[in-house]
Amino acid sequence: MSTVELEEVARFLAEHEPFSDLHPAAIAELTATITIRYVRRDTPIVAAGASNDELYVIRAGAVDIRAADGVLLDRRDAGRAFGHSTLGTTEPSLYDMVAVEDSLLLCIPETVFVSLCAQYPAIGQYFDSQSGRVAHAAQQLRETAASTLLSTALDEIMVTDPVVIEHTVTIADAAQRMVEHRISCLPIVSATTEDTLAGIITDKDLRRVVGERIAPDNPVTAIMTADVLTATPDTPAFAAMLTMAERHIHHLPIVDRGRLVGIVATGDLLRLTQQDPMFVIGDISRATDTSALATSYHGAKAVACSLIERSGKASDVAHMMTTATDTLTRRAVAIAVEELGAPPVDFAFVTVGSQARQEMGLASDQDNALILSDNFDPAADDAYFAALGERVTRMLAAAGQPLCPGNMMASNPQWRLTTAQWKQHFATWTTDPQPDALLNAQIFFDMRPIAGVPALATEVHEFAVDQAAGARRFQAHLAALATRREPPLGVFRGLVVDRSGEYANTLDIKKGGIAAVVQMARLYGLVAGSYAIGTTARLADASEAGVISAAGAHQLIDAFDLLTTFAQQAQVTAFRAEEQPHYHLNPKLLSKMQRETLRDAFACIKSMQQALANKYPVHQV
């Protein structure tokens, strides 16, 4: 590589984990050992069962990691690496690694990688944990894929009204028809009864025409397969996949009472195993406009609904939705930067609230902000970041993440500040807390970087936590806010519902339940000096620090998980009905056991609020 290429590769590595933690001199030394490889789409890079002696870092493009049985485990794009599971061992690869886009790969020799891990143990630990996540994903996705394949019939996935051709036409005519329609197979039907299947040809048959020098003006019957294996519309997809694998065929005509009604290809069946978060998130990351973002993000919500309907863990569903929204936000920022040009100073686009805590639901709206380098010059730079904030928030809204009703977004100049300005805000909030300001400001203690320079956000967040850890008066204000989120319980443990309005006869499971736990966890976490952002992580840290008892932390975590599950189920119902998802629940639609469980969760929260009120002078603030 030329000097310019070496410098470009070094910069690229410095921007991506785990290499971003290396000293520039170490990155330069590593870069000198790297070779660059270009691979075309659909090119196998490492095969399951084969040996491999390089770590691949994706400079551009995308690569699928698949188990030997074809289950998709991960789709990796620019900045991510693969191939490490075989390095430093004599074991062959457990996975197939295939380029799904034209890709540019940075290749690091095995000896260099092993030496790097020995010199910098954190590098090895990073890749070891990644391998463990892939193995775990393999088991989960096999179970999901098998369930989907067993329950889906071919009429749900087949191509209806397929392109066909009569048996009297020539090979050349058939080939022309396949080119025109961009198809890889062509059912042959009787010239007298167009829906009666006579045979089939595929692109493999056309290659045989060339290889065996068969005259293209011969009738298509000369190369077609006449004894065609078929299936019926109600054939399970799983059975069809087994049959096609056994017969080594890639296309299966669907016949109903002697009539050709559709066709299924192996790709249609494989897509059933691909209705998982990694595929839809991969689609979001490759979207190039708002329309594509909206389609992909809607797909992510649909996958979340399917996970909820299959009784997926509430935390897993929330994490999946958050990951999809993070990817959406990151892509929106990238598109906006492409349109606006390079930013004049460093920035961090941060998410706050439920997205920052990785606790998103289908009803979550936008909460975001911009942190700007202290080199920011308002006169010269403000127009750029005003446009960036506006474009990103509008793009997110168009893609399906609603605008924040309280305008707590990067498009609002109030939440587009330099590092120093953010620190001043947190210093003011913690030393001189004003109740009205706290109602909005507390959410910014839940802050996580999505795009730009993460260090800016980390610096601000850690400063905020350090300020709050010893601010007793500020903590009392947070305690007051948490205790005022009264659970909807009556005097005799009856569930209290709204009597009128849009949500009459329902209770708000967020207002007096989920939000109350979030606020208590935030307070306990800040008192403990925890830099954690998620609710359960904060409670765990607070328990370990002795700020809250282990029993109290577990009770709140259990209540939080239970209420989140109820909220997710209600949101699925709204989503399937094409209504706006919400947090309102009608107790009459629950079973007696569910209502009792709901009462217990609210009672637990109320008890912890009372304990909090005894600890802090909540009635004096």
Side-chain angles (χ1 to χ4, degrees):
M1 289 187 286
S2 67
T3 302
V4 173
E5 288 174 324
L6 287 170
E7 291 176 351
E8 193 280 332
V9 170
R11 281 196 299 270
F12 180 79
L13 292 177
E15 293 171 355
H16 296 90
E17 292 184 327
F19 309 106
S20 56
D21 293 330
L22 295 176
H23 188 275
I27 292 178
E29 184 178 345
L30 172 62
T31 301
T33 70
I34 288 176
T35 57
I36 298 179
R37 178 181 171 189
Y38 174 75
V39 293
R40 298 297 300 272
R41 179 179 180 177
D42 297 327
T43 300
I45 302 167
V46 179
S51 60
N52 171 56
D53 58 4
E54 290 182 305
L55 175 74
Y56 300 93
V57 181
I58 304 171
R59 178 65 183 85
V63 173
D64 274 359
I65 312 298
R66 291 182 175 275
D69 55 8
V71 173
L72 177 73
L73 306 181
D74 198 4
R75 174 165 289 173
R76 300 185 183 172
D77 53 13
R80 300 187 64 191
F82 64 95
H84 52 273
S85 60
T86 64
L87 304 182
T89 175
T90 58
E91 296 297 320
S93 174
L94 298 175
Y95 315 114
D96 285 310
M97 306 172 198
V98 182
V100 291
E101 296 178 4
D102 292 350
S103 300
L104 195 64
L105 307 177
L106 307 179
C107 308
I108 301 174
E110 179 177 22
T111 54
V112 174
F113 176 74
V114 172
S115 175
L116 189 69
C117 292
Q119 190 174 359
Y120 302 98
I123 300 288
Q125 293 169 4
Y126 174 89
F127 286 111
D128 286 344
S129 63
Q130 192 175 62
S131 294
R133 291 194 298 272
V134 169
H136 178 64
Q139 181 58 34
Q140 286 190 319
L141 291 177
R142 285 191 186 95
E143 294 171 358
T144 302
S147 173
T148 305
L149 284 169
L150 286 170
S151 62
T152 303
L154 292 183
D155 61 356
E156 297 180 48
I157 60 170
M158 70 183 185
V159 174
T160 57
D161 194 23
V163 178
V164 300
I165 202 165
E166 296 178 354
H167 75 281
T168 55
V169 305
T170 65
I171 296 172
D173 291 335
Q176 182 62 34
R177 181 71 63 88
M178 292 174 69
V179 170
E180 289 174 355
H181 292 276
R182 297 182 180 181
I183 54 178
S184 57
C185 79
L186 190 61
I188 313 301
V189 296
S190 169
T192 55
T193 53
E194 291 187 359
D195 57 0
T196 300
L197 185 67
I200 191 171
I201 64 168
T202 67
D203 49 7
K204 181 179 179 181
D205 296 313
L206 295 181
R207 291 195 295 272
R208 183 163 62 87
V209 169
V210 176
E212 299 178 8
R213 292 185 171 84
I214 300 173
D217 57 355
N218 279 335
V220 73
T221 52
I223 63 167
M224 77 177 189
T225 300
D227 186 15
V228 185
L229 182 69
T230 64
T232 59
D234 60 353
T235 300
F238 182 72
M241 179 174 276
L242 289 178
T243 300
M244 294 169 76
E246 290 169 358
R247 301 294 185 91
H248 302 287
I249 59 176
H250 300 287
H251 305 89
L252 189 63
I254 311 301
V255 174
D256 186 16
R257 292 188 290 274
R259 295 175 52 251
L260 177 68
V261 295
I263 194 161
V264 167
T266 51
D268 300 317
L269 295 170
L270 286 174
R271 272 190 288 276
L272 284 178
T273 69
Q274 297 167 359
Q275 296 303 308
D276 60 71
M278 285 180 291
F279 258 87
V280 295
I281 290 169
D283 287 341
I284 295 171
S285 68
R286 290 186 299 279
T288 57
D289 55 38
T290 302
S291 176
L293 286 173
T295 299
S296 301
Y297 193 53
H298 187 274
K301 291 181 178 180
V303 170
C305 288
S306 296
L307 292 175
I308 296 167
E309 290 166 338
R310 292 199 298 267
S311 301
K313 284 178 59 179
S315 57
D316 290 342
V317 175
H319 185 76
M320 179 261 151
M321 270 305 302
T322 302
T323 302
T325 309
D326 285 356
T327 306
L328 173 70
T329 307
R330 198 172 292 116
R331 189 69 192 115
V333 172
I335 292 172
V337 169
E338 288 171 7
E339 294 171 348
L340 294 169
V345 296
D346 286 344
F347 73 93
F349 192 96
V350 300
T351 181
V352 296
S354 62
Q355 186 177 347
R357 298 191 305 271
Q358 301 191 48
E359 294 165 5
M360 287 194 70
L362 296 172
S364 299
D365 56 22
Q366 291 184 50
D367 291 303
N368 47 56
L370 273 167
I371 301 176
L372 309 176
S373 164
D374 286 335
N375 295 327
F376 172 77
D377 179 353
D381 305 334
D382 188 61
Y384 179 95
F385 290 107
L388 178 67
E390 184 67 25
R391 291 191 187 204
V392 172
T393 53
R394 292 296 173 186
M395 210 179 305
L396 294 177
Q401 189 183 20
L403 295 169
C404 174
N407 202 20
M408 201 168 288
M409 298 179 293
S411 54
N412 184 347
Q414 185 179 359
W415 309 125
R416 198 168 61 241
L417 306 170
T418 65
T419 300
Q421 289 171 328
W422 276 108
K423 288 182 178 180
Q424 183 57 52
H425 268 53
F426 280 109
T428 300
W429 292 334
T430 53
T431 58
D432 184 23
Q434 298 298 318
D436 291 341
L438 279 174
L439 289 173
N440 290 326
Q442 62 172 325
I443 196 172
F444 288 104
F445 282 89
D446 306 348
M447 176 184 288
R448 185 167 56 86
I450 296 295
V453 180
L456 295 176
T458 301
E459 180 182 346
V460 170
H461 178 249
E462 291 184 355
F463 174 86
V465 173
D466 293 343
Q467 285 285 114
R472 181 75 180 178
R473 184 183 170 205
F474 173 72
Q475 294 167 11
H477 278 275
L478 291 186
L481 290 174
T483 56
R484 289 167 189 163
R485 293 276 190 177
E486 294 187 10
L489 280 179
V491 178
F492 300 105
R493 279 177 46 98
L495 294 171
V496 178
V497 299
D498 293 342
R499 295 300 180 188
S500 59
E502 181 181 1
Y503 296 108
N505 301 316
T506 68
L507 56 84
D508 189 334
I509 204 167
K510 177 181 179 180
K511 184 177 179 181
I514 294 172
V517 178
V518 167
Q519 289 181 317
M520 283 190 279
R522 182 185 295 119
L523 168 59
Y524 287 132
L526 292 175
V527 173
S530 170
Y531 294 134
I533 301 173
T535 297
T536 56
R538 279 171 165 164
L539 288 170
D541 285 354
S543 173
E544 186 175 345
V547 175
I548 183 177
S549 67
H554 283 303
Q555 288 174 11
L556 285 177
I557 290 172
D558 288 344
F560 180 75
D561 287 343
L562 177 69
L563 295 179
T564 302
T565 299
F566 276 120
Q568 289 175 348
Q569 291 169 348
Q571 289 168 13
V572 167
T573 300
F575 182 84
R576 296 300 191 199
E578 298 185 356
E579 299 172 354
Q580 181 63 38
H582 50 73
Y583 287 91
H584 294 268
L585 195 66
N586 186 341
K588 291 185 177 180
L589 300 179
L590 303 177
S591 67
K592 181 178 180 181
M593 179 63 71
Q594 288 175 319
R595 288 194 295 271
E596 284 299 320
T597 305
L598 196 59
R599 290 189 188 97
D600 290 341
F602 285 136
C604 165
I605 293 170
K606 193 165 188 175
S607 174
M608 294 301 296
Q609 287 175 321
Q610 290 170 346
L612 194 62
N614 292 333
K615 186 174 182 178
Y616 289 94
V618 297
H619 300 297
Q620 300 174 22
V621 297

